[in-house]
Amino acid sequence: MPKKTPRYLAVEILTTITKQKSYSNLALDQVIKKEHLNPQDAGFLTQLVYGVIQHEYNLDYYLKPFIQKPTKMAVWVRQVLRTAVYQLVYLDRVPEHAIFYEATEIAKQMGHVGTAKLVTAILRNLQRTGLADLNQIESPLERLSITYSVPEWLVEKLQADLGIEKVTQLLTTINQPANASIRVNTRLNSVADLLPQLQEQFENLVPSQIASVGLVAQGGHLASGPAFEAGSYTIQDESSMLVAPSLQIQPTDQVLDACAAPGGKSTHMATYLDAQQGGRLVALDIHDHKVRLIEQNAKRLHVEDVIEAQALDARKISTKFAAETFDKILVDAPCSGLGLMRRKPEIKYSRQPADFINLQKIQIALLNAVAPTLKVGGQLTYSTCTIVPEENQQVITAFLAQHPEFTVVPVPLELPLTQNQATPFVQIYPDDYQTDGFFIACLQRKA
């Protein structure tokens, strides 16, 4: 049996992600739980997996001169090499002899002695020759693309939207480790009460600067421990915690979450509702297994009394719900997810320019479908975890052109956003607060 060290597991995970197009965070969580890794090993594994994916173009650029037949190289061999070079370039506390030795051992375990010799030869050649100088790349766009490991077309797109200064700042930060953030379940406890309890387990946990119910740590595996299992908190990014407060939900409200899975925002909105006063939240998702996930999260967080999860495409909502049923509606729309590049770095490699327009059609269709079910005077919040105007401001503009009975209202905030880029909307970029990129717009239905 192979010795499943963090480096070995990192190669396995990276190979699986490449072949199956799976998300890094899900693959990591599964392996950490399965292998019962201690916090130190789990942290190192997480660092390796995210680091290699984040710097993929960069690592391949350094390796290119030393690989004679790249198209014939097995995926796992490429991942062994990337993992080793990532450590050599980006981790200054890891001894070179440990990197070389374990890369060779992994190659033996996953392949054979011949493969191990190939891996060793490539790494030794790179060590002797040194790294290629990225400043020698003539094209500015290609240089940014290779330096920050982002497809060149996307660099060009973001530069056109944001300007060279902002896009350089954004790209510089997306490859930094993501913070670990949690949302305190105010149904059970307050931030002030829970923080000192959790600091015994997570020493560097501090209050969020943008979300009143958020706590943040620089890394760490927070989805564990008695408080998590008891539902005292849940894992959620800081920027997405701004969505529920934006709706200004009252205890008696009838609320619709049109695209609810896995239920993070649903369970947050549910904390404002009171079942005894008739408050209710309908949480929709297309897939049955995701509806079950919403129900599981609602139960763990003790808000199942107000959440009614259903399998339904929100574009067909008129088949189940009458006009003017809901006081508040959230459309947290399917999107390109480019705001998640730090947390899910594989996203930047999988997107194509056509995605923005294709997704925009779905986003507008969702808004058009749910709009009649909102009561006059009610509020609709539209949100995405992306940073391109095609899926954000342009969607709102198109919707308002078709629905003059709706008007834009400023997004209510519990804490000031000094870096907000899009008043009266909220547009957060990943470099603004070291969170996910996020967009929020609030609309009110007039008579």
Side-chain angles (χ1 to χ4, degrees):
M1 289 293 290
K3 186 179 179 182
K4 294 195 174 182
T5 65
R7 291 182 178 93
Y8 182 96
L9 294 172
V11 172
E12 277 195 330
I13 292 170
L14 290 164
T15 303
T16 299
I17 290 169
T18 302
K19 288 183 174 180
Q20 299 181 5
K21 308 297 182 185
S22 54
Y23 282 129
S24 53
N25 62 327
L26 299 179
L28 261 170
D29 285 345
Q30 288 173 358
V31 170
I32 289 170
K33 290 176 182 176
K34 179 183 175 184
E35 301 296 333
H36 305 290
L37 298 183
N38 62 47
Q40 185 176 358
D41 284 347
F44 186 42
L45 173 62
T46 300
Q47 187 176 31
L48 290 176
V49 170
Y50 279 125
V52 170
I53 299 173
Q54 286 169 334
H55 297 280
E56 185 176 302
Y57 287 5
N58 188 256
L59 300 173
D60 284 353
Y61 187 81
Y62 290 139
L63 282 165
K64 186 177 179 181
F66 310 103
I67 299 176
Q68 294 180 349
K69 297 178 180 180
T71 56
K72 294 185 177 181
M73 181 172 280
V75 172
W76 71 265
V77 179
R78 171 79 69 171
Q79 300 297 9
V80 171
L81 291 167
R82 285 172 175 165
T83 303
V85 176
Y86 169 72
Q87 294 170 82
L88 289 169
V89 177
Y90 293 102
L91 302 185
D92 55 4
R93 295 185 180 181
V94 181
E96 283 192 6
H97 66 84
I99 297 169
F100 281 68
Y101 172 78
E102 194 148 354
T104 303
E105 288 300 304
I106 293 169
K108 283 181 188 174
Q109 292 171 0
M110 291 188 170
H112 48 72
V113 173
T115 312
K117 288 180 177 178
L118 173 66
V119 166
T120 301
I122 290 172
L123 294 177
R124 291 297 181 193
N125 283 339
L126 183 146
Q127 185 187 40
R128 282 192 296 268
T129 306
L131 301 174
D133 184 357
L134 302 181
N135 291 320
Q136 297 301 311
I137 301 174
E138 291 185 9
S139 164
L141 284 176
E142 184 186 1
R143 188 163 58 249
L144 284 172
S145 172
I146 298 298
T147 300
Y148 299 112
S149 207
V150 175
E152 195 169 326
W153 73 266
L154 184 53
V155 175
E156 186 175 14
K157 159 68 178 162
L158 293 174
Q159 183 173 317
D161 289 343
L162 304 174
I164 185 63
E165 183 178 346
K166 178 65 174 177
V167 79
T168 303
Q169 185 176 322
L170 189 156
L171 294 178
T172 301
T173 62
I174 61 168
N175 291 332
Q176 295 172 354
N179 289 329
S181 58
I182 64 175
R183 173 174 60 81
V184 175
N185 183 4
T186 54
R187 271 245 175 146
L188 302 186
N189 34 234
S190 68
V191 173
D193 289 338
L194 187 61
L195 178 57
Q197 297 175 38
L198 293 179
Q199 282 175 328
E200 296 176 8
Q201 185 179 359
F202 311 108
E203 292 181 4
N204 63 348
L205 201 64
V206 296
S208 166
Q209 61 177 317
I210 66 170
S212 65
V213 292
L215 297 173
V216 187
Q218 292 182 341
H221 188 64
L222 306 185
S224 62
F228 177 79
E229 298 299 334
S232 295
Y233 68 88
T234 191
I235 305 300
Q236 190 171 341
D237 187 75
E238 295 170 83
S239 54
S240 77
M241 295 182 211
L242 305 181
V243 173
S246 77
L247 284 151
Q248 298 184 298
I249 294 170
Q250 302 303 307
T252 59
D253 278 346
Q254 304 299 298
V255 183
L256 171 69
D257 189 346
C259 311
K265 298 177 190 68
S266 291
T267 54
H268 190 181
M269 290 187 287
T271 62
Y272 297 98
L273 296 171
D274 187 329
Q276 293 184 345
Q277 297 186 53
R280 177 184 68 143
L281 186 146
V282 175
L284 304 182
D285 192 86
I286 297 175
H287 304 289
D288 286 325
H289 71 279
K290 290 189 175 181
V291 170
R292 290 193 293 273
L293 187 59
I294 296 168
E295 291 172 339
Q296 289 167 8
N297 283 327
K299 187 173 183 179
R300 185 178 69 82
L301 295 167
H302 306 277
V303 291
E304 72 272 25
D305 59 333
V306 294
I307 291 183
E308 179 186 317
Q310 296 186 26
L312 179 68
D313 185 336
R315 289 170 291 186
K316 300 176 181 178
I317 194 168
S318 62
T319 63
K320 286 280 188 79
F321 296 94
E324 299 191 36
T325 295
F326 300 103
D327 300 287
K328 308 286 167 62
I329 294 177
L330 170 62
V331 177
D332 185 50
C335 70
S336 61
L338 290 177
L340 309 178
M341 285 189 286
R342 183 189 289 112
R343 198 175 301 281
K344 297 179 179 177
E346 61 276 8
I347 280 176
K348 59 189 177 183
Y349 307 119
S350 63
R351 295 294 176 250
Q352 298 297 327
D355 293 342
F356 304 143
I357 300 305
N358 293 335
L359 286 161
Q360 184 187 86
K361 294 175 183 176
I362 296 171
Q363 291 153 355
I364 294 171
L366 283 165
L367 288 172
N368 286 337
V370 304
T373 66
L374 185 67
K375 296 176 182 178
V376 173
Q379 182 180 309
L380 186 156
T381 288
Y382 173 80
S383 63
T384 71
C385 54
T386 193
I387 54 176
V388 294
E390 288 87 344
E391 299 181 80
N392 295 334
Q393 292 91 333
Q394 290 181 22
V395 169
I396 299 302
T397 299
F399 174 75
L400 292 174
Q402 300 174 50
H403 294 273
E405 74 276 19
F406 280 82
T407 185
V408 173
V409 294
V411 178
L413 297 168
E414 294 180 327
L415 296 174
L417 284 182
T418 56
Q419 300 296 318
N420 182 25
Q421 309 286 333
T423 305
F425 309 130
V426 163
Q427 177 68 77
I428 294 175
Y429 294 99
D431 57 301
D432 292 335
Y433 300 99
Q434 311 309 307
T435 66
D436 291 344
F438 223 84
F439 177 82
I440 305 173
C442 292
L443 308 171
Q444 189 171 47
R445 185 174 183 181
K446 302 177 293 184

